[in-house]
Structure formats: C-alpha cells, structure tokens
Amino acid sequence: MGNIIELPRAKELEESVSALRRAAAEAICANISLVYVEGKAIEMNYRLAFGELEIAILDTYCRTLRLRRKREVILGQITRQAPRSVKILEAQLDEELARYEGELLRKKRLVEEARQWEKHPRGVVKEGAMKAQFTAVILALHPDIRPEKSDLRLLNDAADAYIDGDGRKLRRLRKDVRADDDELPLGGLIDEEKRLMDLVQDLEAENGAVKIRAPFTMRANVEEEEARRAWREQLEGELESHRRRLAEEEVALTNMMKLVKRLENKSLKEN
C-alpha cells in the first residue's frame, strides 16, 4: 500500500513511540539522579572522609619541594654551575611547586565546599512522587523527547527543584505543564520510533558509563567499612612516606648550610 501505514500497525507504532518517550524520560531522570544526587553525595562524603588526609599529603609535598628548591640552588652555587643552568633548574622547580600549590588550594576549596554541603545536603535519591513528577516534566518538555514543545527554563527549574528535594516547587512546576502524553506525530511514526529507540539506547549506555567512572569509583571507599579502612590506611601510609622525605630534605638542607658555613670560614682564613 505504498507509504500508507495500515491502522493496526499505526496503533502499534503510536504505542511504541509513547512507551519509548517515557523510557527516554525515565533514563534522563535517572541520569540527573546519578550525576547530581547520588554522585554528588558520594563525592561530598569522600571529601569529608579523606579530604584532610589528601590536603596533608599535598602540604607535606609542597614543603618538601620548597626545601629541595633551596638546597638545589645552594648546591648549584657551591659547585659553581653556570648561572643559566641554575636559573633553568630554579624555573623547573618553581613550575612544579606552583602546580602542587595550586592543587593544594583546590583541595582545600573542595573540602570547604563539602563542609557547606554537609550543613545543607542537596539530596537523598528521590523516589516515589517526586521522581514521577519530574519524569512527567521531562516527558513533556525535554528537547530530545519533544523538540517542538521544549521549554528549557521550566525544565531547568524542575531539575533544580528535584535535585534540591523541593517537592512543593516541583509540584507547582508540574501543574504548569500540560498533560498531553497522547499527542503523537501524525506522520513519520516509523522514523520517530527509530529515533527514540536510538535515543533510549544512548541514554542507557551513558547511565551505565556514569556508574563506572568517578565519583562512583569512590563509592566503596565511602560506603563499605573494609574498603574505607583500607583506603585510609593507604593514604596514611602515603602521608608517612612524604613526612619521611620531608625530614630527609630538612637534614640534607641543614648539612648543606653547614657546608656553606665551613666553606665561608675557610675562605675567610685563606684571605
């Protein structure tokens, strides 16, 4: 019958498109939960549990680098290295130190952010009514599902309300959305079904990928007691190692300064 779709097949396609739209909306809602609710909670709890240790490691390493820089510069002067060589070495050490000092400041900001989050956490995973309301907003307004009816402002407001756990605001926004789930495309049902099948596949693949990268890779260290203890022990061991290197650098610098003093005294006697 050419391009005409017979009635039973058209009905089947309409039902398939409707189901795929809902599956896409649920997958988008799941992604927002994973990234901004579950993932955020894992990340914040990780920082609260281990952030101070990571800061101590970085701080100790920065102190070691400062001493090493001072010692290397003195050594270059003692051994009468070419000024250009000394300057190059200084620049290399300064670059390394700046990089780690920047990371130290970043870690401190992240820990402070986690402390603020702890006072006003943005969430527990939303179930029940809130998830259903947010999914309905996505279904009606998301550009990947209904390009002709998308409303990014309202959609973003609903996402913020969902992430914040503001059920009252989400209910109000849901009322602003017309319930027209049955409004399906008049033509091109086959193309629409194919497009939505690809969309759902991509969304589900992305959700799977989210679960195997940070911060979900930290989940066991945050939520499982044995893994949490093992990771803390590893970080504490790393900190102790850095502290030993710092102590060694302090001794090396002290000895270097003593050598400089002896050479100065020898030079004075000879003159």
Side-chain angles (χ1 to χ4, degrees):
M1 298 182 65
N3 294 325
I4 299 174
I5 302 174
E6 296 182 2
L7 185 59
R9 176 59 176 147
K11 182 66 174 176
E12 179 184 325
L13 283 169
E14 287 177 352
E15 291 174 352
S16 175
V17 167
S18 181
L20 287 166
R21 282 179 171 176
R22 178 157 293 278
E26 289 171 352
I28 292 168
C29 181
N31 182 267
I32 290 172
S33 286
L34 285 169
V35 175
Y36 297 104
V37 181
E38 289 184 66
K40 191 72 171 180
I42 293 169
E43 185 178 357
M44 294 297 111
N45 285 316
Y46 178 90
R47 293 179 195 173
L48 292 168
F50 304 110
E52 289 296 340
L53 261 175
E54 292 183 342
I55 286 172
I57 290 168
L58 282 168
D59 181 64
T60 304
Y61 187 59
C62 286
R63 290 165 62 194
T64 303
L65 284 176
R66 292 187 196 104
L67 294 178
R68 180 187 164 200
R69 180 191 185 283
K70 188 173 182 180
R71 181 175 60 80
E72 292 285 357
V73 170
I74 293 172
L75 180 62
Q77 294 170 347
I78 291 174
T79 57
R80 300 184 183 279
Q81 293 181 23
R84 177 176 172 77
S85 298
V86 174
K87 287 294 183 183
I88 291 173
L89 179 60
E90 284 185 67
Q92 290 172 341
L93 293 172
D94 285 344
E95 182 180 353
E96 184 178 10
L97 179 58
R99 185 168 66 253
Y100 280 97
E101 285 180 333
E103 179 63 12
L104 176 59
L105 289 174
R106 189 184 75 87
K107 284 284 185 183
K108 288 180 177 179
R109 286 195 297 270
L110 292 177
V111 170
E112 181 55 33
E113 180 187 344
R115 289 180 180 139
Q116 295 303 315
W117 175 88
E118 188 178 28
K119 295 176 184 177
H120 308 286
R122 291 186 82 187
V124 181
V125 176
K126 309 302 187 297
E127 299 291 349
M130 284 192 66
K131 182 165 283 189
Q133 288 161 359
F134 185 41
T135 300
V137 174
I138 295 170
L139 182 61
L141 301 178
H142 198 283
D144 287 339
I145 298 174
R146 294 181 182 273
E148 75 288 353
K149 290 185 173 294
S150 65
D151 185 333
L152 291 179
R153 182 192 60 78
L154 186 56
L155 187 62
N156 289 336
D157 286 347
D160 287 340
Y162 177 74
I163 292 167
D164 289 338
D166 190 342
R168 180 178 298 179
K169 180 179 179 181
L170 187 57
R171 284 194 299 274
R172 176 173 56 78
L173 292 169
R174 173 66 183 92
K175 289 178 182 178
D176 292 339
V177 177
R178 287 195 304 116
D180 57 356
D181 291 352
D182 293 329
E183 185 181 323
L184 298 171
L186 296 176
L189 282 170
I190 294 175
D191 290 341
E192 180 67 359
E193 181 187 47
K194 177 63 169 61
R195 184 187 75 83
L196 288 168
M197 288 176 67
D198 291 342
L199 174 63
V200 170
Q201 184 177 5
D202 290 345
L203 290 169
E204 290 177 348
E206 171 59 20
N207 287 347
V210 167
K211 294 177 183 179
I212 59 173
R213 60 178 182 244
F216 285 86
T217 50
M218 311 176 200
R219 187 169 211 157
N221 293 341
V222 172
E223 297 179 358
E224 298 176 15
E225 186 60 35
E226 185 174 344
R228 183 186 181 101
R229 182 171 56 253
W231 184 243
R232 177 169 291 278
E233 288 175 357
Q234 182 173 326
L235 290 175
E236 288 173 345
E238 188 175 342
L239 176 58
E240 184 58 32
S241 176
H242 279 287
R243 284 173 172 166
R244 284 196 300 270
R245 285 198 290 272
L246 175 61
E248 291 168 359
E249 199 61 54
E250 287 172 340
V251 171
L253 180 59
T254 298
N255 291 336
M256 184 73 68
M257 297 299 289
K258 289 178 180 178
L259 175 60
V260 169
K261 189 66 176 176
R262 286 198 300 270
L263 291 173
E264 288 175 348
N265 291 337
K266 182 180 178 181
S267 178
L268 288 173
K269 289 177 181 179
E270 289 175 350
N271 293 332

